[in-house]
Amino acid sequence: MEKKSVRRNAPGPRGDLLIGSFRELQRQGQVPFYLNNWRKYGDIVRFQVGPIIAHIIAQPDHVQYVMEGNPSNYGRGLGYAKTRSLLGDGVLTSDGEVWRRERELMEPLFTREAVAMFEEEIVDTTKAMVARWDEVTARGETIDLDAELRRLSIQVMGRTMLGTEPGQAGVGEALAQAYDKTSEFISRRLTSVVDVPLWLPTAFNRRFTQTMRKLDRLIYQLIRERRSGKQQTTDLLSRLTAARVDATGERLSDKQIRDEIITVLFAGHETAAELLTWTWYELAQHHEIEAKLRDELTRVIGANAPSAHDLANLTLTNCIIQETLRLYPSVWTFPRQAIRADEIGGYHIPAGSMILISPFLTHRHASFWENPETFDPDRFTPERSASRTSYAYLPFGGGARVCLGRHLVMFEAGLVLATVAPRYHLHLLANQRIEPVARITLRPSVPVLMGIERWH
Ligand code: HEM
C-alpha cells in the first residue's frame, strides 16, 4: 500500500550552519552524543553532519521495519562505502546479487554445527594464554586485559579462518598490527565530514597504504600457499580457494578471496575480544555472579577442558555473555541509507538520508528493559527471554543480514570463559574509571588493568 507522504521532520539538534552537529559529535564523543540526544528528543533523532542527514533510531518496531519490513529501501550506503578502501567487496559491504552469492558461499562454515569443529583450536589457544598468565601471576604482575584478549582473538581467527599452525605466531602478530593501524584509519573515516582522498600523500594516508600493502602481501601469500599445497582443511581459506562460482564454474579470484578474508578478520577479531573484556569487567564487579559461574562450571565440566557439548548445559555462562552483549554490544551502531523517501514513526525520511540503528540505545530502552543499566544475566533465562519484544535485543543485527559470525563468537566466548573462569579471579585495579567509547567497536576508554589470582 502506498504510504501517504509525511513532511514532518524528526526532532533533533540544529547544529552549525555548514557542518551541522560535527563539532558536537567530536566534543561529546559518539556514544554520549547518541545517548544525550535520545534522552532529549526521543526515539527518532534527526541531525546533520555537513551535507549528510542522519537519523538515530532506538525503538524496536522502527528497527524491525528497516531491517525486515522494508529492507530493499535501506541499503549499505555511505556508511559501509567508507570501509571499502580496506575491505573491498566482501560480504559485509556488498549489496544485492553479489552479496547473496557471497553469503551463500560463506554460510556453511558459520552454522552452529560447523563452528563446533573449531573446539580444539579455540581451547588450545586459550590454554596457551592461561599458561602465560600463570607466569604473570608467579611474578606478581598485572595484565592489560583488553590487549590480552585481542591477542587471543586474532590467534583464534588465524587458526580457525586461515588454518595457521600454533607455532605460526608471526602471522597472528602481523595481522594484529595491521588490524590496529587500518582500523584507526577506518574509525577516522567513519567520523569525518569530508573524506581526505586516499591518493593525497598525507602522512596518515601513506601509513595506511603501507600497512594495507603489508597486510595484503601476507594474505596473498597464504592464498598462494593454500592453492599450491595439498592441505585440505576445514578453514575459511580452504573453502574459498576450493569454491566455484555457480554459473560459470570458475574459481574465485585471489582478490575476491582476499576481500572475504579481510572482511571476516575485520568483523570478527575486535568484536569478539571486546565482548570478553566487558564480560570480565562486569564479573570483576559482581562477585556473587562470578561465584555462581564457577559453581556451574565445576558442576558441568569439573576439571576437564570444556567441549562443544558442555556449552549446551552452561545456562548461566550463556546468560552472562548475552547480558554483556546487551550492555556492551561490540557493534554498538550500524548504518543504512534510504534509497527512496519513506516514513518512520510518523516522521519524514528523505531519500539519501542515513539511518543509524543502535543496539546500544535499544538495549537500554526503559520501555523494554527493567533497570536497564543493571547487569543482570537472569534476564536471559529461557522463560524471561520468551516474552521479549522482537528487536528489543539485537546485538547481531537481524533479518537477512544478521551477523554471519554470531554462532562462532558465542561458541568462542563460551569456551574461553569456561576455560579461564575456573582458574582465575580477575580484579580491577583501584581508581580506574572505564567508560565504553566508540571506535569501530565499543572499546574501554583506557587500558583495563587487572590483577589476577589463581583459584587453585
Ligand atoms: C560479539 C561479536 C560480534 C558482534 C556484536 C557482531 C555484530 C554484528 C552486527 C550487528 C552485524 C550486522 C551489521 C549490519 O546489518 O549492518 C554483523 C554482521 C556481520 N558480522 Fe558480526 N558481530 C560479531 C562477531 C562476528 C564474527 C566473529 C564474525 C566472523 C567470523 C562476524 C562477521 C560478520 C559478517 C561477515 C557480517 C556481515 C553479514 C552480512 O551482511 O551478510 N561477526 N555483525
Side-chain angles (χ1 to χ4, degrees):
M1 196 176 63
E2 186 74 6
K3 278 193 175 174
K4 69 176 185 303
S5 167
V6 177
R7 297 306 310 177
R8 195 163 57 120
N9 289 336
R14 288 176 66 89
D16 299 326
L17 189 61
L18 287 177
I19 56 174
S21 294
F22 177 70
R23 235 195 304 252
E24 269 311 291
L25 257 167
Q26 301 288 316
R27 193 183 65 76
Q28 296 185 30
Q30 289 184 71
V31 174
F33 180 86
Y34 271 51
L35 271 173
N36 294 338
N37 283 303
W38 176 45
R39 286 181 185 135
K40 186 164 176 191
Y41 296 108
D43 280 337
I44 305 189
V45 179
R46 175 179 159 129
F47 68 100
Q48 209 156 337
V49 174
I52 300 162
I53 297 172
H55 304 84
I56 300 169
I57 63 172
Q59 160 73 250
D61 279 359
H62 299 160
V63 177
Q64 183 163 22
Y65 171 74
V66 171
M67 314 255 312
E68 280 184 12
N70 191 11
S72 60
N73 192 44
Y74 294 95
R76 296 314 238 187
L78 204 62
Y80 278 101
K82 284 176 180 238
T83 64
R84 284 227 168 86
S85 45
L86 173 65
L87 304 181
D89 296 312
V91 64
L92 181 69
T93 49
S94 60
D95 250 327
E97 192 48 28
V98 175
W99 167 77
R100 196 192 56 73
R101 268 190 272 115
E102 290 176 328
R103 180 92 194 197
E104 238 171 60
L105 182 70
M106 313 273 279
E107 189 88 45
L109 194 75
F110 292 93
T111 61
R112 208 185 293 273
E113 296 71 34
V115 300
M117 288 185 309
F118 298 133
E119 174 190 302
E120 194 185 320
E121 285 87 348
I122 296 171
V123 172
D124 266 13
T125 318
T126 312
K127 279 185 179 164
M129 180 181 80
V130 166
R132 225 184 30 256
W133 286 13
D134 283 345
E135 292 167 20
V136 171
T137 332
R139 292 196 297 270
E141 291 170 4
T142 56
I143 53 167
D144 174 344
L145 182 67
D146 198 25
E148 289 285 328
L149 294 171
R150 266 187 275 145
R151 189 191 314 183
L152 173 72
S153 163
I154 199 82
Q155 286 172 352
V156 167
M157 276 281 157
R159 289 194 63 183
T160 57
M161 298 294 114
L162 305 178
T164 58
E165 295 299 321
Q168 269 180 294
V171 176
E173 297 298 319
L175 287 176
Q177 277 175 14
Y179 178 88
D180 283 348
K181 289 205 182 130
T182 45
S183 66
E184 186 196 344
F185 173 87
I186 297 295
S187 191
R188 276 203 200 185
R189 281 213 141 184
L190 289 176
T191 49
S192 62
V193 180
V194 181
D195 286 338
V196 178
L198 206 50
W199 51 263
L200 271 182
T202 63
F204 193 72
N205 275 352
R206 274 205 302 268
R207 272 206 312 279
F208 172 72
T209 312
Q210 275 165 10
T211 311
M212 276 264 299
R213 286 210 188 107
K214 250 205 222 145
L215 181 61
D216 279 351
R217 268 203 301 274
L218 190 71
I219 306 270
Y220 283 125
Q221 186 190 329
L222 290 171
I223 297 173
R224 268 196 309 278
E225 282 170 13
R226 190 56 56 91
R227 283 208 200 274
S228 66
K230 305 258 177 300
Q231 189 186 6
Q232 267 315 311
T233 52
T234 49
D235 56 60
L236 180 66
L237 189 54
S238 287
R239 182 175 292 278
L240 295 174
T241 45
R244 307 231 171 226
V245 184
D246 344 319
T248 58
E250 274 174 43
R251 288 194 187 280
L252 297 186
S253 68
D254 285 5
K255 167 74 167 67
Q256 284 170 303
I257 297 178
R258 175 261 178 220
D259 287 356
E260 300 303 356
I261 294 284
I262 300 236
T263 293
V264 162
L265 293 177
F266 186 84
H269 153 50
E270 190 174 300
T271 45
E274 299 313 338
L275 162 58
L276 283 163
T277 297
W278 291 115
T279 304
W280 264 292
Y281 174 73
E282 284 296 335
L283 287 177
Q285 295 170 78
H286 294 93
H287 293 171
E288 69 300 347
I289 299 175
E290 190 195 20
K292 284 189 194 159
L293 170 67
R294 286 188 64 214
D295 284 349
E296 177 175 271
L297 294 171
T298 311
R299 189 164 32 79
V300 177
I301 56 178
N304 304 323
S307 68
H309 177 258
D310 293 328
L311 287 187
N313 300 316
L314 295 176
T315 316
L316 177 63
T317 310
N318 188 45
C319 290
I320 289 173
I321 297 169
Q322 296 206 62
E323 175 67 343
T324 306
L325 278 174
R326 183 184 69 82
L327 280 175
Y328 310 97
S330 312
V331 178
W332 71 283
T333 182
F334 50 90
R336 293 289 187 272
Q337 190 167 15
I339 295 166
R340 292 170 302 280
D342 198 3
E343 177 203 325
I344 298 181
Y347 294 114
H348 175 60
I349 304 293
S353 67
M354 307 279 297
I355 300 292
L356 303 169
I357 296 165
S358 174
F360 187 86
L361 297 188
T362 307
H363 294 174
R364 283 169 167 72
H365 204 304
S367 309
F368 304 93
W369 301 95
E370 214 179 302
N371 302 323
E373 293 296 338
T374 307
F375 183 75
D376 173 14
D378 284 347
R379 303 174 196 273
F380 287 95
T381 56
E383 308 77 61
R384 287 177 68 185
S385 297
S387 57
R388 182 153 307 127
T389 307
S390 175
Y391 281 86
Y393 185 62
L394 70 151
F396 296 117
R401 310 262 344 207
V402 67
C403 174
L404 182 74
R406 65 199 184 285
H407 299 306
L408 175 63
V409 76
M410 290 303 286
F411 185 66
E412 177 182 344
L415 288 181
V416 174
L417 201 53
T419 306
V420 177
R423 199 171 177 99
Y424 286 111
H425 166 68
L426 275 64
H427 67 266
L428 273 168
L429 299 190
N431 304 326
Q432 287 191 89
R433 196 180 143 73
I434 297 173
E435 304 281 346
V437 291
R439 293 286 179 266
I440 291 177
T441 64
L442 203 61
R443 275 197 179 187
S445 50
V446 291
V448 183
L449 302 178
M450 292 271 194
I452 51 178
E453 285 116 42
R454 283 279 302 266
W455 285 117
H456 52 79

